[in-house]
Amino acid sequence: MRLDDAKENLLYTMQALQTDTKHRFAWLTRSIEGANPQEILNRGYSIVYNRQAELVPRRAQDAAAACDLRIRLADGKIEVSIGNTR
């Protein structure tokens, strides 16, 4: 009887580990997919580049007056010119 109990316990433990591993893998997959730049754009965000230097302006002063910008959206790009900054 003890061998049968040990076998059953081992089988149960292995199944529990397999289930846990599947859940963790699914969670990691969702996390990685959520960090995908295209997925972020699909949620409504955009990326703004200085068109000449291909830099991402982080402050208003980084986008000087008379500067051309490229805005990347989920489905394409928009090019704009800045008249002034505040």
Side-chain angles (χ1 to χ4, degrees), residues 2-73:
R2 288 178 32 206
L3 184 58
D4 288 337
D5 291 341
K7 182 179 173 183
E8 188 175 315
N9 190 23
L10 180 61
L11 181 61
Y12 173 79
T13 301
M14 289 175 59
Q15 288 173 338
L17 284 171
Q18 183 181 24
T19 300
D20 182 55
T21 301
K22 284 181 181 180
H23 287 285
R24 288 174 45 193
F25 182 75
W27 180 82
L28 289 170
T29 301
R30 285 191 305 272
S31 296
I32 290 170
E33 288 172 351
N36 176 344
Q38 186 61 46
E39 287 300 316
I40 294 169
L41 294 174
N42 290 341
R43 292 195 301 260
Y45 291 91
S46 62
I47 303 172
V48 178
Y49 297 93
N50 177 316
R51 202 167 125 218
Q52 288 78 16
E54 289 294 323
L55 299 174
V56 176
R58 303 206 187 282
R59 298 178 308 264
Q61 67 189 28
D62 293 343
C67 176
D68 293 328
L69 298 177
R70 179 175 291 139
I71 302 171
R72 182 175 167 202
L73 306 168

